[in-house]
Amino acid sequence: MRLFDCHTHLDKYPEPELEGILYRAKEVGVGGAIVAGTTIESSLHSVRLAENNPNLFAAIGIHPMDITVPFDYTAHQVLAELALNDRVLAISEVGLDGLKGAPDIALQEDVFRTNIQLAKKNNLPIIYHSRETYPRILDILASEGAQTVGGAAHYFQGDLKTAKRCIDLGFFISLARPLLRIQDLQEIARKIPIEYIVLETDSYPQHFKKNRQNWTEPRHLAEVALALAEIRNITLEQVIQQTSCNILNMLGSRSEAIKGALEDTFTM
């Protein structure tokens, strides 16, 4: 079985770069990745990439930092139609952001609730964004009945209490490269059930890093998996097997779509 990257933004890269990015991922045992939309336009782009690449899959949604207007009829119709596409595996990247200068929180919550309902209607898991919005975001997920579809806490960096509440709501804890350096996160990764851990890179063009080779890509998922193996004192093979099974469990009825990516190499 191969690793699976449950959250990337590969749509932000120039398309000519994708072949190299996917090849480097294949070389270290990463069998597939979800490309998460952040706007209507990027959601459409993510679906198109997934349709044209057998080991890429799409998630659709509006990122809280990209909310400029209330969720209107046109946006809802576009996402509702995309949700029917069998290459779409989740609703993401949606959620709440408490960063200074973020859009009005009431507007964020309204859009988030609408996205939760879209997920429930289409039986899609929710891979959500939360920055400085715990525990409020979990209160909203619970009140909207999001536990019926579950999902994952994207790029998790909360505390142990928060991690346990996420799990109680039926959400997986998605770990990324911060696991390599944050001791508190390592302790959480050691204590929570490994059956509720999934892995991601949140790959995005990092122009602030002058050396292109240092930009995070799906290939770096292997480093995250190795770190988790060392933290849990288990083999890398056990981490790969368990986290890939966890992805299948998280995706539920959509899991069949990725089985080939977990078992085979990238089609180049």
Side-chain angles (χ1 to χ4, degrees), residues 32-136:
I34 293 176
V35 184
T38 57
T39 64
I40 295 297
E41 292 75 19
S42 71
S43 292
L44 287 164
H45 188 192
S46 296
V47 172
R48 183 174 64 79
L49 289 178
E51 290 175 334
N52 292 330
N53 295 272
N55 295 86
L56 291 181
F57 305 87
I60 57 173
I62 299 177
H63 192 289
M65 293 296 285
D66 287 302
I67 296 170
T68 56
V69 296
F71 202 80
D72 61 18
Y73 176 79
T74 300
H76 185 276
Q77 287 300 106
V78 172
L79 291 181
E81 183 174 346
L82 288 177
L84 301 175
N85 190 304
D86 60 8
R87 301 297 293 176
V88 173
L89 302 185
I91 299 299
S92 187
E93 182 172 352
V94 300
L96 300 178
D97 199 300
L99 194 69
K100 184 178 180 180
D104 177 73
I105 193 64
L107 181 58
Q108 289 189 49
E109 289 188 7
D110 181 63
V111 174
F112 185 42
R113 290 180 188 275
T114 301
N115 278 297
I116 293 171
Q117 293 307 313
L118 178 66
K120 290 174 61 180
K121 182 176 181 180
N122 292 277
N123 197 29
L124 289 169
I126 303 160
I127 302 175
Y128 72 83
H129 168 107
S130 177
R131 183 159 50 186
E132 300 180 13
T133 59
Y134 285 119
R136 176 61 178 162

Side-chain angles (χ1 to χ4, degrees), residues 23-261:
Y23 180 80
R24 290 188 288 274
K26 181 194 79 168
E27 288 292 283
V28 296
V30 179
I34 293 176
V35 184
T38 57
T39 64
I40 295 297
E41 292 75 19
S42 71
S43 292
L44 287 164
H45 188 192
S46 296
V47 172
R48 183 174 64 79
L49 289 178
E51 290 175 334
N52 292 330
N53 295 272
N55 295 86
L56 291 181
F57 305 87
I60 57 173
I62 299 177
H63 192 289
M65 293 296 285
D66 287 302
I67 296 170
T68 56
V69 296
F71 202 80
D72 61 18
Y73 176 79
T74 300
H76 185 276
Q77 287 300 106
V78 172
L79 291 181
E81 183 174 346
L82 288 177
L84 301 175
N85 190 304
D86 60 8
R87 301 297 293 176
V88 173
L89 302 185
I91 299 299
S92 187
E93 182 172 352
V94 300
L96 300 178
D97 199 300
L99 194 69
K100 184 178 180 180
D104 177 73
I105 193 64
L107 181 58
Q108 289 189 49
E109 289 188 7
D110 181 63
V111 174
F112 185 42
R113 290 180 188 275
T114 301
N115 278 297
I116 293 171
Q117 293 307 313
L118 178 66
K120 290 174 61 180
K121 182 176 181 180
N122 292 277
N123 197 29
L124 289 169
I126 303 160
I127 302 175
Y128 72 83
H129 168 107
S130 177
R131 183 159 50 186
E132 300 180 13
T133 59
Y134 285 119
R136 176 61 178 162
I137 193 167
L138 297 182
D139 294 339
I140 292 175
L141 287 165
S143 68
E144 293 292 328
Q147 57 267 35
T148 62
V149 292
H154 152 61
Y155 213 77
F156 185 83
Q157 294 185 59
D159 59 22
L160 182 59
K161 180 180 178 181
T162 299
K164 289 180 176 179
R165 188 176 175 204
C166 289
I167 291 170
D168 288 344
L169 278 172
F171 283 79
F172 290 78
I173 304 301
S174 186
L175 299 175
R177 293 186 85 185
L179 183 66
L180 278 61
R181 55 181 172 80
I182 300 177
Q183 290 186 351
D184 288 348
L185 190 59
Q186 293 169 0
E187 190 64 20
I188 290 168
R190 184 179 295 110
K191 290 182 176 179
I192 64 175
I194 195 171
E195 292 80 10
Y196 279 93
I197 295 176
V198 294
L199 305 178
E200 64 164 285
T201 61
D202 198 25
S203 297
Y204 195 103
Q206 295 172 300
H207 299 287
F208 60 90
K209 295 180 180 178
K210 294 182 180 180
N211 188 341
R212 173 63 180 83
Q213 293 183 346
N214 292 334
W215 292 12
T216 300
E217 296 183 5
R219 65 186 172 90
H220 290 108
L221 200 68
E223 296 179 4
V224 182
L226 181 58
L228 182 60
E230 293 173 348
I231 289 166
R232 304 283 307 208
N233 194 28
I234 58 178
T235 67
L236 177 60
E237 289 71 22
Q238 286 175 298
V239 167
I240 294 171
Q241 180 75 24
Q242 185 63 63
T243 58
S244 295
C245 286
N246 294 347
I247 285 286
L248 292 172
N249 290 336
M250 183 188 79
L251 294 177
S253 63
R254 301 278 175 126
S255 63
E256 194 67 30
I258 74 164
K259 287 184 177 178

